Amino acid sequence: MKLHEYTEYDAVGLAELVARGDVTAAELTSAAQDAMTAVNPRINAVVENWPAEDAPGPGSTPLAGVPFLIKDLAVAMKGKRVELGSRLAAGNVAAADSFLMRRFRRAGLVTLGRTASPEFAYSTTTEPVLHGAVRNPWDLTRTPGGSSGGSAAAVAAGITPIAHATDAAGSIRVPAASTGLFGLKPTRGRVSMGPDADEVFNGLAVHGVLSRTVRDSATLLDLIQGPESGDPYFAEPPRRPYAEESTRDPGRLHIGLLTIPWNGRVVEPAVHDATLAAGRLLDSLGHRVEPTGVSLGVSWEEFVLANARLWTANLVTWIDGFAEACGRPVNETTVEPEMLASYTWGRRVSGAEFVQALEVRNRVARSIGAHFDRHDVLLTPTLPELPVAIGTYHHGAEGADGRGWLEHLFHRSPFTAAFNVAGTPAMSVPLAADPATGMPIGIQFAAGYGREDVLLRLAGQLERAAPWVQRTPPRMGGHTPGRLMGLVGSERLGAVAISR
């Protein structure tokens, strides 16, 4: 299979080719490895790649034989390194597959490597000291977002059509918005975090994926959703497969429009205009769209403080655990400055303060949840700004303590974290681009607890009404094969002759 042919399909389309016998899974693996060789030196998205271990039967699942990448955090593949983007954990090898990795294997995915994460996923840019900055395929001077920036850059560049991601404050949606991808943060408890953790960041973090098409994300969610024994949360199973939901009409939805974030930050004009345009598109599709206010149930200052206490206290256990396991000291030679400051601050969080933070989580969840009694969906920008230049994300936060660093992170992405605290699903949809630069602009949609079905029906409708698959990153230049950095010319869902 030629490289330009490989990049013209989404994951479901590639699996259909394998099922029909037009190509083999081995040929897809070879194409993905060629794509990685061609573009990864420029974008630095994949930090380690390896030969295929799995050989799924053609047609055994809707994604059998599709090349795949996992994030360097929160998912463990037996015998492979998982370093969490940190020098402290460098060389750490997983002893066994995590529950999610087992499900990826059962889904028929062929995992070929791991993608970059910022240290401990504690940022919405991906510039770890351990592996270096990941670059956005749309503009190599800009960040692809984070913390799943490596996965986003890899998918946007055409290395794989879909990749694993996590989200504790926007880490699926921020990279999706930054690179022109679709990214759904599932409901808390939809996908197991086990067995080594019952929850991450006290339920704020979830597993998901990044993809070019809605149906790819929906199809893989069907294959990985559902609890494992011992999980602390339970999300009601979907009434129909999510892949089917993405093809169904959403009906007439009552949609609330929020353009001012809870911290009052000014949204850049291009992003504001794109959000209003999304509202007009929804109106034209028959939905009822109206401006709304959404209460967090607490002040912004309380929200930031509670999150800082939860995040940093959890970080302490991670850092101490890896320091002991890897035999390394916790200092500036092993931990980045922002994480060292957060670690120091977290060590001072008392048990009572931690419980108070959980009480704030409950108040936010109740308040956000009550909003979805009034609106089916909430519409916001995903980000208040375009992706920033590499090396500038930290500006204004130099010398910050643990609370100050988290406040800076939330300043960069003020629309996303509330839905992690509430545990409700939210998605970023690549509906727009900046007229001046061509950079993607993502629009966020959130729904009530367990209502991924509502979001996926709406996402499918938007994808049909305003398709984004033709909007692709510019070529990287040089000897980039075929249309690799031009991504997908079309989904190519019909049969074609494949060159071998």
Side-chain angles (χ1 to χ4, degrees), residues 228-483:
E228 296 275 0
S229 297
D231 283 357
Y233 302 109
F234 176 78
E236 183 179 357
R239 287 170 287 185
R240 283 179 292 269
Y242 290 124
E244 180 183 336
E245 295 287 10
S246 70
T247 68
R248 294 173 65 89
D249 189 283
R252 187 171 190 261
L253 299 175
H254 188 191
I255 299 174
L257 172 63
L258 180 70
T259 59
I260 301 174
W262 289 281
N263 67 346
R265 178 178 173 172
V266 175
V267 175
E268 289 185 357
V271 176
H272 184 263
D273 291 348
T275 307
L276 296 183
R280 292 192 295 272
L281 172 61
L282 291 162
D283 185 73
S284 74
L285 293 170
H287 302 294
R288 178 186 170 193
V289 181
E290 63 181 12
T292 190
V294 181
S295 172
L296 288 176
V298 299
S299 70
W300 181 254
E301 290 73 22
E302 289 177 289
F303 182 78
V304 170
L305 178 61
N307 274 275
R309 286 170 171 168
L310 294 177
W311 282 54
T312 60
N314 278 273
L315 182 68
V316 168
T317 65
W318 289 10
I319 287 179
D320 284 346
F322 278 107
E324 180 178 357
C326 298
R328 295 189 176 107
V330 179
N331 58 33
E332 65 280 355
T333 69
T334 58
V335 181
E336 295 174 27
E338 296 82 14
M339 294 304 91
L340 201 55
S342 298
Y343 171 81
T344 300
W345 197 85
R347 289 179 65 87
R348 296 196 296 266
V349 174
S350 71
E353 289 171 335
F354 190 83
V355 172
Q356 289 168 358
L358 292 175
E359 292 173 351
V360 169
R361 185 190 69 173
N362 176 62
R363 288 158 62 190
V364 172
R366 303 297 178 184
S367 186
I368 295 289
H371 178 83
F372 292 114
D373 294 333
R374 301 188 296 275
H375 290 100
D376 300 305
V377 170
L378 182 64
L379 160 65
T380 80
T382 304
L383 288 168
E385 61 188 354
L386 300 178
V388 300
I390 297 290
T392 66
Y393 181 92
H394 299 69
H395 289 180
E398 296 85 352
D401 63 10
R403 183 195 180 285
W405 175 247
L406 198 77
E407 185 169 22
H408 180 73
L409 191 157
F410 284 6
H411 174 76
R412 290 292 192 185
S413 181
F415 288 103
T416 53
F419 305 110
N420 294 86
V421 176
T424 57
M427 63 183 181
S428 183
V429 183
L431 288 178
D434 175 41
T437 65
M439 293 300 296
I441 295 174
I443 306 300
Q444 179 177 235
F445 300 86
Y449 191 89
R451 297 316 306 267
E452 289 95 332
D453 57 339
V454 172
L455 292 180
L456 288 166
R457 287 196 294 266
L458 179 60
Q461 183 188 52
L462 290 169
E463 188 176 36
R464 293 186 293 273
W468 53 79
V469 73
Q470 296 281 4
R471 210 163 46 236
T472 59
R475 291 172 184 262
M476 296 282 282
H479 300 287
T480 300
R483 301 184 61 191

Side-chain angles (χ1 to χ4, degrees), residues 171-194:
S171 291
I172 290 173
R173 292 157 288 158
V174 170
S178 301
T179 60
L181 300 177
F182 177 75
L184 171 69
K185 179 197 86 69
T187 292
R188 180 181 296 147
R190 180 66 66 201
V191 180
S192 178
M193 305 297 294

Side-chain angles (χ1 to χ4, degrees), residues 63-74:
L63 295 176
V66 172
F68 190 66
L69 296 165
I70 56 175
K71 184 177 177 179
D72 183 30
L73 180 133

